[in-house]
């Protein structure tokens, strides 16, 4: 998904917004335990269960980079890994570039990919409930919902507020660069996401100078709020995985800069809240076109956001967030063009009969 889940802001001149600059504080380097020549191993997920271009560049995370034709690389905790698919090959392979334990890296990767959830079973269930979903699923297989570290996900979506993908990515890269350097792949630097303690040492002024604008106070305010939580902010965030969705959303919305839409993104992409529906104008259009046609032309309000979320859950059940993810992806320009080409090929084949 795009998953900034917001329209692009008005264009701003370079003079008004200075380009992002390297962090003022030194970047720490750790002694890397590299694996030497990259060795690729099959992952326990076929292309039906994971299609990389339908998962990584769709706005769930802004920390993974495309480092090959169908290859994406990123860090999961202290592990630097790559995933790739080759044309005509139904398997997904992974490579561990840096880790203290390759086995631990594999387990962390599978957890990050929500590998225990069967996409085939979900897609079958959704397809029975919705003929349109069944048609889309034929061509858009393998779009998974990720299970990210909650702090990492939270900071990313604070950067996404009223922003565009290019600028979100630059902001997230800046924050990421404050963490331990893990290695370089295809010209990209990769870092372990900075700890809450490291983030607390970054001032609002430093972030503003780096081009974060008003989001700077949200990040520093949220970091401060998390540090004040009993037991620590990381434990507090992880505890939200065990709560009901509405309580999770309400808890997240107590943090500076987190509204219902951002909270739903964090809940869906990091907190095991599989029925969370991040509602923006794009999802609103999908809902009024296919689920709530009687509301077409109405103005999206907070009350209607709740109604949209309820409509998705009523239609698709406890994993409604996964269904909405694919429907959202189907509306992205690249996927719409792909679906149109499939449709034209289908029409042409019928004409030839």
């Amino acid at each position: 998904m795009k998953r900034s889940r917001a329209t692009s802001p008005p264009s701003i001149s370079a003079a008004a917004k200075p380009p992002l600059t390297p962090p003022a504080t030194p970047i720490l380097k750790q002694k890397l335990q590299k694996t030497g020549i990259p060795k690729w191993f099959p992952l326990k997920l076929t292309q039906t269960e994971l299609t990389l271009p339908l998962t990584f560049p769709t706005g769930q995370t802004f920390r993974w980079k495309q480092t090959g034709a169908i290859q994406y690389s990123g860090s999961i905790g202290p592990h630097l890994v790559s995933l790739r698919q080759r044309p005509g090959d139904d398997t997904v392979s992974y490579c561990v570039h840096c880790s203290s334990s390759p086995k631990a890296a594999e387990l962390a990767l599978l957890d990050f990919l929500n590998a225990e959830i069967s996409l085939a079973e979900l897609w079958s269930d959704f397809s029975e409930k919705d003929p349109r979903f069944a048609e889309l699923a034929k061509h858009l297989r393998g779009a998974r919902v990720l299970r990210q570290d909650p702090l990492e996900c939270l900071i990313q979506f604070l950067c996404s507020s009223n922003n565009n993908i290019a600028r979100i990515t630059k902001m997230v890269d800046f924050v990421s660069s404050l963490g331990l350097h893990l290695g370089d792949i295809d010209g990209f630097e990769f870092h372990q996401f900075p700890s809450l303690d490291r983030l607390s040492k970054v001032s609002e002024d430093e972030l503003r100078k780096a081009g974060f604008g008003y989001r700077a106070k949200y990040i520093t305010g949220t970091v401060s709020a998390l540090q004040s939580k009993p037991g620590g902010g990381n434990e507090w965030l992880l505890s939200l995985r065990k709560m009901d969705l509405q309580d999770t959303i309400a808890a997240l919305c107590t943090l500076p800069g987190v509204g219902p839409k951002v909270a739903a993104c964090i809940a869906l992409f990091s907190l095991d809240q599989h029925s969370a529906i991040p509602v923006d104008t794009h999802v609103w259009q999908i809902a009024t076109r296919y689920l709530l046609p009687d509301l077409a032309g109405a103005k999206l309000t907070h009350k209607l956001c709740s109604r949209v979320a309820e409509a998705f859950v009523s239609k698709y059940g406890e994993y409604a967030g996964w269904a909405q993810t694919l429907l959202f992806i189907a509306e992205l320009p690249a996927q719409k063009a792909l679906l149109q080409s499939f449709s034209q090929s289908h029409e042409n084949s019928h004409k030839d009969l």
Side-chain angles (χ1 to χ4, degrees):
M1 295 182 183
K2 180 182 175 186
R3 289 306 182 198
S4 65
R5 291 194 169 279
T7 53
S8 301
S11 59
I12 303 174
S13 68
K17 284 286 184 181
L20 298 181
T21 56
T25 50
I27 297 175
L28 299 175
K29 300 276 184 177
Q30 68 172 342
K31 188 174 181 180
L32 304 178
Q33 187 169 341
K34 298 182 179 179
T35 57
I37 299 174
K39 295 182 180 179
W40 293 87
F41 302 93
L43 194 64
K44 298 174 184 176
L45 293 171
T46 64
Q47 191 169 348
T48 301
E49 290 292 326
L50 173 63
T51 299
L52 301 180
L54 296 180
T55 300
F56 286 100
T58 55
Q60 296 187 54
T61 176
F62 302 93
R63 299 217 324 126
W64 282 64
K65 309 297 184 183
Q66 185 170 0
T67 54
I70 311 180
Q71 177 178 314
Y72 293 84
S73 303
S75 64
I76 304 171
H79 316 292
L80 177 57
V81 299
S82 290
L83 289 163
R84 77 177 181 191
Q85 290 172 313
R86 289 181 169 176
D89 188 349
D90 189 50
T91 62
V92 180
S93 299
Y94 75 97
C95 172
V96 179
H97 300 278
C98 172
S99 176
S100 58
S101 167
K103 183 59 179 178
E106 180 190 14
L107 293 175
L109 178 58
L110 291 171
D111 181 74
F112 175 75
L113 294 170
N114 261 320
E116 292 185 357
I117 296 174
S118 169
L119 205 58
E121 291 180 8
L122 286 183
W123 264 213
S124 176
D125 179 52
F126 298 155
S127 295
E128 289 180 5
K129 296 173 178 176
D130 183 0
R132 178 174 177 270
F133 189 99
E135 186 60 32
L136 292 175
K138 293 177 184 177
H139 311 299
L140 300 178
R141 301 180 305 159
R144 296 193 72 81
V145 169
L146 300 172
R147 189 176 193 252
Q148 301 176 64
D149 173 80
L151 176 63
E152 182 177 326
C153 190
L154 167 60
I155 298 300
Q156 288 184 82
F157 281 96
L158 283 176
C159 293
S160 77
S161 177
N162 294 316
N163 214 343
N164 57 53
I165 287 179
R167 191 157 188 81
I168 296 168
T169 301
K170 289 180 180 179
M171 291 179 177
V172 171
D173 285 347
F174 177 92
V175 175
S176 298
S177 72
L178 300 172
L180 294 174
H181 181 261
L182 297 177
D184 299 345
I185 304 172
D186 196 36
F188 293 103
E189 284 193 358
F190 292 90
H191 300 78
Q192 182 175 352
F193 197 77
S195 66
L196 194 57
D197 180 64
R198 176 67 185 89
L199 290 173
S200 70
K201 294 177 172 58
V202 183
S203 68
E204 179 181 337
D205 184 58
E206 184 177 353
L207 292 174
R208 284 187 177 275
K209 287 180 179 178
F212 282 64
Y214 66 86
R215 302 169 196 83
K217 65 181 178 183
Y218 292 156
I219 293 174
T220 56
T222 287
V223 168
S224 178
L226 288 174
Q227 286 191 304
S228 70
K229 298 292 184 185
N234 288 312
E235 289 301 315
W236 181 79
L237 286 170
L238 287 172
S239 73
L240 302 184
R241 287 177 170 173
K242 302 174 183 177
M243 296 171 64
D244 292 336
L245 173 60
Q246 294 308 315
D247 291 337
T248 296
I249 297 294
L252 288 170
C253 285
T254 64
L255 299 173
V258 178
K261 183 193 72 176
V262 167
C265 287
I266 298 163
L268 179 60
F269 301 139
S270 70
L271 297 175
D272 299 339
Q273 301 290 349
H274 304 297
S275 63
I277 307 294
V279 180
D280 64 358
T281 55
H282 304 289
V283 175
W284 169 245
Q285 290 168 4
I286 294 170
T288 55
R289 199 179 309 144
Y290 302 109
L291 300 177
L292 299 166
D294 56 310
L295 294 180
K299 183 179 179 180
L300 181 60
T301 62
H302 177 70
K303 184 176 181 180
L304 288 182
C305 282
S306 298
R307 188 169 171 186
V308 167
E310 291 168 1
F312 272 99
V313 174
S314 177
K315 183 78 170 180
Y316 300 107
E318 62 178 321
Y319 282 83
W322 290 59
Q324 181 261 337
T325 294
L326 182 134
L327 296 174
F328 186 101
I329 289 171
E331 295 294 316
L332 297 177
Q335 305 312 327
K336 288 185 92 169
L338 178 65
L339 291 170
Q340 288 172 358
S341 68
F342 278 127
S343 177
Q344 290 171 358
S345 298
H346 182 70
E347 290 176 5
N348 291 335
S349 66
H350 276 278
K351 290 178 182 179
D352 293 338
L353 295 177

